[in-house]
Amino acid sequence: SPWRPAFLLLLGPGPAGGRRRPTFSTSCARCSKNRRLRQKRVISERKLTRYFVDHRKVRVVGGQGGGGGHSFYSEPRKQFGGPDGGNGGDGGHVILKADRQMKSLSSVLPFYQGFHGERGGSKNCYGANGACTYVKVPVGTLVKEDGEVVADLTQHGEEYVAAYGGAGGKGNRFFLSNEDRAPTLFTPGEPGQERVLHLELKTTAHAGLVGFPNAGKSSLLRAISNAKPAVAAYPFTTLNPHVGVVRYQDYEQVAVADIPGLIKGAHQNRGLGMAFLRHIERCRFLLYVVDLSLPQPWIQLQDLKYELEQYKKGLSERPHVVIGNKIDLAQSRINLPLLKEQIDGRVIALSALTGDNLEELLVHLRELYDTYVKTEQSRGQSPVKW
């Protein structure tokens, strides 16, 4: 037969006139090489933990301007056409641009250099300007220089020129005058602006988990979202803020931020201090997490509201709900009715460890989010979407 499978063409005559088994084949699974897939290395949970970077130190340098051209026009029957060196192009700027798709400063590099302008050419040709370098930063980024706020990028698409590019040099055509008909002078391009900026991100999450260390905020965030903050069976506090996204069936997404645990005197910069109090400032509503297993849990809520009020007046009065965590413990069931007697607002008792009553929190979280959206739309503003 003129047609044969590909793997039969690799068969040769055997020692007894028969057929040998093929040495290599790409179409026969039985004859193909056995290539084992290497197993992926097991990575510890600590290395898998992702948290957003909320501060960066960036050095930005604008592009240098192109030098001016130096040439004289000359062609047959026109040997002394005069100077025709064009100006150099301007250097490119370094621009910070707020983008709602960016959620962290982790992708921001420590150094950015603008593109240089091209040198001026002959025949009065100007050099091309250097392209602008855009650095995408999250919405809610503060730009500081020497401790002073120089920009606050709060809207999507908002831009701030971090470093201006240098001006292009002048060609010898620029210096043509009646006194000097053949100037040889031309200037180089100016260097770009150089600055050292500090970028700080104020969390633009919808909800903020506020509570003292070991109240169970990280465990709660793991239970209701896809975030993976580190948790353990021994007391410790989260040192880096985490953001988790709660997804609903109608494709709405509510961002919940796990603010590192506060302590008494945080407004005086004790403990983690005001470095993380600023994340609470831009949360639209708050979720106070108290440990029901401790005696007099309502004291925790009073202390939390006091710290927020001392940091910024009116911050503790934002829309909020009180979450009584660790309801799976026997002491928590005893303290729950006592807490409800001391608090006028709503108290949601749940267990982040066992998942008890998480549905009530998710439903109320969506109610707070819908109220926020309607309020922003009534003001003519666009609500923050994740």
Side-chain angles (χ1 to χ4, degrees):
S1 173
W3 179 87
R4 292 182 180 180
F7 69 91
L8 289 180
L9 299 178
L10 297 172
L11 298 177
R19 295 285 183 176
R20 285 194 308 232
R21 296 187 61 175
T23 58
F24 177 76
S25 173
T26 58
S27 58
C28 179
R30 181 176 59 87
C31 303
S32 62
K33 291 184 178 179
N34 184 15
R35 296 183 176 89
R36 279 185 158 181
L37 296 178
R38 293 188 301 174
Q39 295 182 353
K40 293 184 178 180
R41 186 178 57 180
V42 179
I43 302 177
S44 64
E45 182 183 355
R46 183 176 182 84
K47 293 183 179 180
L48 286 174
T49 300
R50 295 185 179 92
Y51 56 87
F52 64 90
V53 178
D54 62 338
H55 56 86
R56 270 282 193 263
K57 181 180 179 181
V58 184
R59 177 170 165 259
V60 289
V61 181
Q64 184 173 357
H70 175 264
S71 65
F72 289 90
Y73 185 75
S74 179
E75 66 177 14
R77 296 184 299 275
K78 200 170 186 180
Q79 298 180 4
F80 303 100
D84 65 347
N87 298 338
D90 297 334
H93 309 319
V94 179
I95 302 176
L96 303 179
K97 186 173 182 179
D99 190 347
R100 66 166 63 98
Q101 300 298 329
M102 305 295 294
K103 306 302 180 184
S104 171
L105 294 174
S106 58
S107 61
V108 177
L109 302 178
F111 174 74
Y112 286 96
Q113 169 75 58
F115 292 94
H116 301 317
E118 295 186 3
R119 187 179 183 84
S122 59
K123 299 182 180 179
N124 297 322
C125 290
Y126 283 34
N129 295 332
C132 294
T133 302
Y134 286 90
V135 182
K136 292 184 179 180
V137 296
V139 177
T141 300
L142 283 176
V143 185
K144 293 184 177 181
E145 185 178 18
D146 298 331
E148 297 183 0
V149 178
V150 295
D152 188 1
L153 307 178
T154 58
Q155 299 294 330
H156 173 71
E158 192 173 357
E159 297 180 357
Y160 173 71
V161 181
Y164 287 94
K170 303 298 183 182
N172 62 340
R173 169 73 182 182
F174 178 82
F175 299 97
L176 179 64
S177 63
N178 291 332
E179 291 77 15
D180 189 359
R181 304 304 300 173
T184 58
L185 179 63
F186 63 96
T187 59
E190 296 181 0
Q193 185 183 16
E194 182 175 355
R195 302 172 70 185
V196 177
L197 303 176
H198 294 266
L199 306 182
E200 293 184 2
L201 175 60
K202 287 189 175 181
T203 308
T204 57
H206 301 115
L209 294 173
V210 184
F212 288 112
N214 304 306
K217 301 185 300 299
S218 298
S219 299
L220 181 59
L221 187 64
R222 289 173 67 101
I224 64 176
S225 71
N226 58 351
K228 301 297 180 184
V231 296
Y234 52 86
F236 73 98
T237 184
T238 303
L239 298 179
N240 299 287
H242 296 256
V243 174
V245 178
V246 182
R247 294 179 173 87
Y248 292 88
Q249 293 183 353
D250 57 352
Y251 302 104
E252 286 289 347
Q253 298 184 146
V254 180
V256 182
D258 175 16
I259 310 301
L262 303 178
I263 64 172
K264 292 184 179 180
H267 67 279
Q268 298 174 352
N269 213 19
R270 293 180 182 175
L272 298 177
M274 292 181 292
F276 298 108
L277 275 172
R278 65 171 179 267
H279 292 290
I280 309 176
E281 185 177 354
R282 291 191 176 179
C283 292
R284 273 57 183 181
F285 40 90
L286 305 177
L287 307 178
Y288 292 104
V289 182
V290 297
D291 189 352
L292 285 177
S293 63
L294 299 179
Q296 297 182 342
W298 55 88
I299 302 297
Q300 303 176 43
L301 182 61
Q302 296 175 3
D303 293 339
L304 289 173
K305 288 187 175 182
Y306 176 79
E307 293 298 330
L308 297 184
E309 199 67 24
Q310 292 298 315
Y311 174 72
K312 184 178 180 180
K313 189 175 181 60
L315 184 59
S316 63
E317 301 300 327
R318 290 189 180 181
H320 64 273
V321 64
V322 180
I323 300 174
N325 195 15
K326 304 181 182 181
I327 193 60
D328 53 310
L329 301 179
Q331 186 63 35
S332 300
R333 299 189 187 96
I334 300 175
N335 293 334
L336 178 59
L338 302 177
L339 176 63
K340 291 184 177 180
E341 292 178 359
Q342 299 290 334
I343 298 178
D344 297 333
R346 183 173 181 178
V347 179
I348 300 178
L350 53 82
S351 174
L353 180 63
T354 62
D356 295 341
N357 207 26
L358 286 179
E359 294 80 3
E360 182 181 356
L361 173 61
L362 295 176
V363 171
H364 188 67
L365 182 64
R366 181 58 189 269
E367 294 175 356
L368 292 173
Y369 174 76
D370 292 339
T371 303
Y372 155 70
V373 172
K374 293 179 181 179
T375 303
E376 291 296 314
Q377 291 177 350
S378 62
R379 296 175 180 175
Q381 301 177 357
S382 58
V384 175
K385 295 286 186 177
W386 275 65

